[in-house]
Amino acid sequence: MRLATRANGTPDGELIVVSGDATRCLSAADIAPNLLAALERWEALVPMLQARAELVQAGQGDPLDPATLRAPLPRSWQWLDGSAFATHGELMQIAFGLDPIDRERPLMYQGLSDRFLGPSDDVPVPDAALGIDFEGEFGVIVDAVPMGTSVADAAQHIRLIVQINDWSLRAIAPIEMKTGFGWVQAKPACSVAPFAVTPDELGGDWRDGRVCCDLLVEWNGAHFGLVNGDQMAFSFPELVAHAARTRDLVAGTIIGSGTVSNREYAERGSACISERRAIEIIAEGNPRTAFMAFGDRVRIEGRTSDGDTPFGTIDQRVVQA
């Protein structure tokens, strides 16, 4: 099942169900006014949502207008981002002389959740000198997760999967990291691809609690990376259980994988500029690739092993705020 949010003049938008080929949709506002409300009553409402999905898949519904689509959750109670790809962490550690990474537990921070940019929204930044960078990743959305939930039980709370661009301002990040209090200024609002999908939509590409899809990244029309989500050192159920160790997670909490990164980066490329710069520092002593400028565009698209694009596409331009 593919769910999306259509702009309707309200902060949370209108919940719609989308056909598998992303050409048609049916409103689900009579079932739940928005996706956040649906997640809060998921067990009770999912049969009705699935029935609506069967109707749109059978040919019912209106043409889908991509221009009306917002982030699946335009705002949520909580956004927790991990850093679950060991290769990314190792490259950054070596290039920038960071302390050794704790491999016994996931890295995670709590980011901005009161807004998520839509898949084609312009991205406002106050100053191009702040080191504007994209970060392609996958994420999951959970229903209510009780404190102390085990890894095995955490898997049952993963209801939807999304594709994310976690924007970063790299000139600020090292300053905030030294405080030990996490990021605020270095992490503006994330962007999310238009469709949130149930795990079954990915078929065999959802396995071992990982999104084993390719992530295509293009910068100003040029190929930048084609990485795969299968090399997560910690699975999504492990990330969910980690987040819920000492707190309940409210329905609608989004948990990210962190920048998708592969050991075969020489062949596959990267999903963020900072990682490419780290590779250049290791190989040549200095980075050659600059960060983004105003007017630059980034396109990010997740692809299954059979070539499907279940999440849709993020295609955005950076503009001066």
Side-chain angles (χ1 to χ4, degrees), residues 149-174:
T149 293
S150 68
V151 173
D153 290 341
Q156 307 308 312
H157 290 282
I158 294 173
R159 299 306 188 180
L160 295 167
I161 303 172
V162 290
Q163 173 194 307
I164 300 166
N165 184 359
D166 177 32
W167 291 97
S168 292
L169 302 177
R170 300 297 189 181
I172 301 175

Side-chain angles (χ1 to χ4, degrees), residues 271-283:
C272 74
I273 300 170
S274 190
E275 182 174 295
R276 175 176 283 189
R277 287 168 60 90
I279 293 166
E280 292 167 350
I281 290 170
I282 294 168

Side-chain angles (χ1 to χ4, degrees), residues 171-201:
I172 301 175
I175 300 169
E176 292 193 313
M177 287 172 68
K178 289 178 181 178
T179 68
F181 272 75
W183 288 301
V184 176
Q185 295 178 348
K187 287 291 187 178
C190 298
S191 306
V192 188
F195 309 130
V197 306
T198 49
D200 61 286
E201 279 287 307

Side-chain angles (χ1 to χ4, degrees), residues 23-314:
T23 62
R24 299 180 313 282
C25 65
L26 278 170
S27 175
D30 58 319
I31 300 173
N34 51 65
L35 182 55
L36 189 57
L39 286 158
E40 290 169 344
R41 300 181 56 218
W42 186 262
E43 288 285 358
L45 299 183
V46 72
M48 289 181 278
L49 290 172
Q50 289 174 335
R52 191 67 48 91
E54 291 172 4
L55 292 177
V56 75
Q57 197 62 21
Q60 295 190 32
D62 302 317
L64 178 68
D65 181 0
T68 66
L69 298 181
R70 303 177 64 187
L73 280 175
R75 59 180 181 171
S76 188
W77 298 108
Q78 185 163 228
W79 155 239
L80 300 171
D81 196 17
S83 183
F85 288 88
T87 297
H88 178 74
E90 291 166 2
L91 287 170
M92 303 298 278
Q93 176 191 339
I94 294 170
F96 301 111
L98 303 176
D99 292 335
I101 297 168
D102 181 359
R103 298 179 182 278
E104 298 301 316
R105 57 182 179 176
L107 299 176
M108 187 173 287
Y109 77 93
Q110 184 165 313
L112 177 68
S113 65
D114 62 8
R115 70 201 63 196
F116 292 93
L117 298 175
S120 59
D121 291 345
D122 284 346
V123 181
V125 179
D127 186 348
L130 295 179
I132 306 166
D133 197 359
F134 48 81
E135 290 191 57
E137 58 184 272
F138 296 111
V140 298
I141 307 176
V142 299
D143 61 8
V145 182
M147 182 191 308
T149 293
S150 68
V151 173
D153 290 341
Q156 307 308 312
H157 290 282
I158 294 173
R159 299 306 188 180
L160 295 167
I161 303 172
V162 290
Q163 173 194 307
I164 300 166
N165 184 359
D166 177 32
W167 291 97
S168 292
L169 302 177
R170 300 297 189 181
I172 301 175
I175 300 169
E176 292 193 313
M177 287 172 68
K178 289 178 181 178
T179 68
F181 272 75
W183 288 301
V184 176
Q185 295 178 348
K187 287 291 187 178
C190 298
S191 306
V192 188
F195 309 130
V197 306
T198 49
D200 61 286
E201 279 287 307
L202 302 184
D205 292 319
W206 171 250
R207 60 180 183 272
D208 301 324
R210 293 164 172 84
V211 181
C212 301
C213 294
D214 282 337
L215 196 64
L216 172 68
V217 182
E218 296 175 341
W219 180 12
N220 290 332
H223 180 82
F224 192 84
L226 184 65
V227 291
N228 193 282
D230 62 353
Q231 293 182 20
M232 287 175 70
F234 296 94
S235 68
F236 276 112
E238 289 175 298
L239 295 182
V240 173
H242 174 80
R245 181 186 178 194
T246 61
R247 63 172 79 175
D248 296 330
L249 303 182
V250 296
T253 296
I254 307 171
I255 296 180
S257 65
T259 307
V260 179
S261 182
N262 292 160
R263 292 183 293 273
E264 308 85 0
Y265 55 81
E267 297 81 26
R268 305 214 65 161
S270 299
C272 74
I273 300 170
S274 190
E275 182 174 295
R276 175 176 283 189
R277 287 168 60 90
I279 293 166
E280 292 167 350
I281 290 170
I282 294 168
E284 306 168 24
N286 291 290
R288 290 182 287 102
T289 303
F291 290 111
M292 299 183 81
F294 291 140
D296 281 9
R297 300 195 71 94
V298 63
R299 182 175 183 273
I300 305 176
E301 183 177 86
R303 297 178 175 179
T304 62
S305 55
D306 60 5
D308 190 19
T309 54
F311 310 103
T313 303
I314 295 173

